[in-house]
């Protein structure tokens, strides 16, 4: 499911009016904007160049690995896809059935007229009724629901990230509504698996995050990618990151050979992701909780079915020829993505919002300790 990536890209393009509404929500719920500083960004980049684990391994899914490239599945909520597909297919099926009913009654009326049967006005009622329902359902769906369906279906089957050792570049494969295909430099990347300072939620239930600040991207906004499976702990994410780091900095020699996954949508590729990042909870859960989890297994099967249907209704992602040939002898190195590569209206929004992502110089100012009022001061007030 591409919901997180779609939301991230929409935040990059948000209008001033939407931004104003966001600030009102932040003020209402006491949320504060966290600014980024150069010192922290530099430290995160340095930590990403250091060894993070002694047991590098990737849990995949890995789609390609050789002396030049490493390609892994991306996506923050990839394991959760399925519900949107089920709801979308239910709406499409309902609208299709009403369309068939209207066609059936229309054909029956035309057959009666051809047999010189007297015209029956009431025969037009079911035709008008079912046609109205079908047109209204399809109209509302394509206006308000189709763009949500494309977060799981009628789009690329997976988000991908490709690492190229020869060019020292990283390529992100995403639909256009999630930021599109971009080329980023390897140098300057930061990772949630490189240190405790950059860890997220102790690695439980989230994939490995790779992040490029606006200082690195050159596109006036940051870029990010959630790589691989959701983690059960921070150690798994450190191992995953160390596998990627060693591949890019030292080569595939000495790294454990991962299982290469096919792009074909086999059923088990849809059902097993439902349990990604849950081993931590299963091991520590009480007996009552484990029984409850067994009772809701049918729900996992239903979501898994929706996941599989979403994979069947998508197509295999394909890289541009320039990226496919990158690193081969005599082939050009893909240029890094710049602001000029975006359409004019996208460039306008990115320029307008550039100040929101600007990395501030120096260090983050230290928080001033809050002065606690003494009893005498309280009494005087």
């Amino acid at each position: 499911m591409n919901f997180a990536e779609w939301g991230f890209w929409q935040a990059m393009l948000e209008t001033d009016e939407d931004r104003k509404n966001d600030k009102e929500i932040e003020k209402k719920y006491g949320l504060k904007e966290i600014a980024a500083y150069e010192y922290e960004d530099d430290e995160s980049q340095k930590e990403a160049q250091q060894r993070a684990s002694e047991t590098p391994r990737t849990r995949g899914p890995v789609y390609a690995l050789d002396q030049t490239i490493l390609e892994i599945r991306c996506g923050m909520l990839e394991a959760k896809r399925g519900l949107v597909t089920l709801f979308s297919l239910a709406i499409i099926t309902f609208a299709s059935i009403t369309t068939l009913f209207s066609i059936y009654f229309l054909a029956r009326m035309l057959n009666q007229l051809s047999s010189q049967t007297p015209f029956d006005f009431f025969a037009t009622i079911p035709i008008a009724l079912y046609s109205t329902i079908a047109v209204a359902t399809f109209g509302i769906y394509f206006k308000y629901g189709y763009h949500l369906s494309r977060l799981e279906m009628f789009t690329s089957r997976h988000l991908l990230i490709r690492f190229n050792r020869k060019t020292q570049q990283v390529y992100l494969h995403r639909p256009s509504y999630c930021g599109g295909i971009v080329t980023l430099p390897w140098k300057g990347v930061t990772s949630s698996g490189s240190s405790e300072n950059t860890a997220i939620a102790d690695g439980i239930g989230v994939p490995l995050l790779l992040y490029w600040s606006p200082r690195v991207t050159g596109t006036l906004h940051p870029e990010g990618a959630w790589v691989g499976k959701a983690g059960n702990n921070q150690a798994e994410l450190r191992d995953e990151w160390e596998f990627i780091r060693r591949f890019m900095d030292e080569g595939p020699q000495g790294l454990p050979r991962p299982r290469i996954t096919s792009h074909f949508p086999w059923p088990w590729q849809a059902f097993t992701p439902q349990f990604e990042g849950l081993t931590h909870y299963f091991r520590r859960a009480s007996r009552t909780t484990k029984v409850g989890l067994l009772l809701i297994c049918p729900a996992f099967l239903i979501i898994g079915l929706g996941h599989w249907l979403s994979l069947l209704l998508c197509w295999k992602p394909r890289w541009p020829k320039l990226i496919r040939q990158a690193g081969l002898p005599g082939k050009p190195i893909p240029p890094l993505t710049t602001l000029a590569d975006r359409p004019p209206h996208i460039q306008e929004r990115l320029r307008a919002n550039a100040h929101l992502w600007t990395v501030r110089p120096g260090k983050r100012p230290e928080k001033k300790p809050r002065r606690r009022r003494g009893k005498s001061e309280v009494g005087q007030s």
Side-chain angles (χ1 to χ4, degrees):
M1 184 179 184
N2 305 335
F3 181 78
E5 288 73 18
W6 171 75
F8 183 80
W9 181 239
Q10 293 304 308
M12 301 297 108
L13 308 178
E14 208 166 21
T15 62
D16 295 337
E17 185 63 27
D18 292 335
R19 189 72 60 186
K20 182 179 178 181
N21 295 334
D22 289 345
K23 289 183 178 179
E24 292 177 356
I25 295 174
E26 291 172 359
K27 184 177 180 181
K28 180 179 179 180
Y29 292 100
L31 302 175
K32 295 182 179 180
E33 182 180 351
I34 301 177
Y37 287 83
E38 287 183 352
Y39 176 79
E40 296 171 339
D41 191 33
D42 291 337
E43 288 298 308
S44 297
Q45 292 184 29
K46 290 178 182 178
E47 291 172 344
Q49 298 173 4
Q50 300 171 2
R51 178 168 296 194
S53 169
E54 298 299 330
T55 54
R57 71 184 186 94
T58 177
R59 294 170 299 127
V62 176
Y63 297 107
L65 175 64
D66 56 30
Q67 295 294 322
T68 302
I69 65 169
L70 167 64
E71 185 173 291
I72 309 178
R73 188 191 77 191
C74 266
M76 173 61 175
L77 299 174
E78 172 68 19
K80 309 303 179 185
R81 67 192 294 177
L83 283 178
V84 173
T85 299
L86 292 176
F87 281 116
S88 300
L89 291 179
I91 295 172
I92 294 173
T93 302
F94 173 77
S96 300
I97 290 175
T98 54
T99 301
L100 291 175
F101 272 119
S102 65
I103 294 174
Y104 166 75
F105 284 108
L106 177 61
R108 193 170 73 169
M109 186 185 72
L110 294 176
N111 184 53
Q112 291 175 352
L113 293 175
S114 63
S115 62
Q116 299 182 349
T117 303
F119 177 74
D120 184 6
F121 172 78
F122 292 100
T124 62
I125 296 179
I127 298 174
L129 177 63
Y130 285 116
S131 298
T132 302
I133 295 175
V135 171
T137 303
F138 274 124
I140 294 173
Y141 170 71
F142 281 109
K143 185 174 183 179
Y144 299 105
Y146 179 68
H147 69 283
L148 295 177
S149 297
R150 292 204 68 199
L151 298 177
E152 287 191 1
M153 48 196 280
F154 309 138
T155 185
S156 297
R157 186 167 293 139
H158 294 295
L159 304 181
L160 300 177
I161 183 168
R162 173 176 287 202
F163 303 90
N164 192 307
R165 289 188 58 246
K166 298 289 181 63
T167 64
Q168 286 294 289
Q169 292 175 332
V170 182
Y171 314 106
L172 302 183
H173 193 296
R174 304 169 300 192
S176 58
Y177 54 82
C178 293
I181 299 174
V182 298
T183 300
L184 298 165
W186 167 250
K187 184 178 181 181
V189 66
T190 63
S191 166
S192 64
S194 60
S195 70
E196 295 298 331
N197 296 327
T198 56
I200 301 175
D202 200 28
I204 299 174
V206 296
L208 175 71
L209 172 64
L210 303 188
Y211 180 83
W212 290 261
S213 75
R215 300 167 65 201
V216 177
T217 62
T219 55
L220 302 182
H221 68 88
E223 287 282 5
W226 299 89
V227 183
K229 297 180 180 179
N232 292 290
N233 50 61
Q234 184 63 20
E236 288 185 345
L237 301 190
R238 285 197 298 267
D239 293 344
E240 186 94 39
W241 165 245
E242 182 62 18
F243 185 95
I244 296 171
R245 188 198 67 79
R246 290 196 195 181
F247 174 83
M248 290 295 287
D249 292 344
E250 304 172 15
Q253 299 81 6
L255 293 175
R257 179 74 181 180
R259 177 180 175 272
I260 303 301
T261 302
S262 169
H263 277 284
F264 186 83
W266 297 106
W268 54 83
Q269 294 180 2
F271 288 93
T272 54
Q274 310 307 317
F275 304 96
E276 287 181 9
L278 295 179
T279 307
H280 171 82
Y281 297 104
F282 289 157
R283 290 174 178 173
R284 300 188 178 186
S286 63
R287 182 175 300 178
T288 304
T289 303
K290 291 179 179 179
V291 172
L293 292 172
L294 290 175
L295 293 177
I296 64 173
C297 276
F300 286 104
L301 295 176
I302 293 173
I303 297 175
L305 176 62
H307 192 146
W308 188 38
L309 291 174
S310 74
L311 295 178
L312 293 173
L313 293 172
C314 291
W315 51 83
K316 177 183 175 181
R318 184 173 175 81
W319 294 99
K321 184 177 180 180
L322 185 63
I323 293 179
R324 293 199 309 270
Q325 296 181 344
L328 297 178
K331 299 299 179 180
I333 297 177
L336 299 177
T337 301
T338 64
L339 186 64
D341 297 323
R342 302 291 187 183
H345 67 285
I346 299 294
Q347 293 184 35
E348 180 182 356
R349 292 310 315 152
L350 292 176
R351 287 194 181 96
N353 293 333
H355 66 283
L356 300 171
W357 324 113
T358 301
V359 180
R360 301 182 183 182
K363 293 185 177 182
R364 183 182 301 277
E366 296 183 2
K367 293 183 179 180
K368 295 181 180 180
R370 296 181 60 183
R371 181 171 174 268
R372 300 183 63 180
R373 299 174 66 184
K375 293 183 179 179
S376 59
E377 293 179 300
V378 175
Q380 292 175 3
S381 61

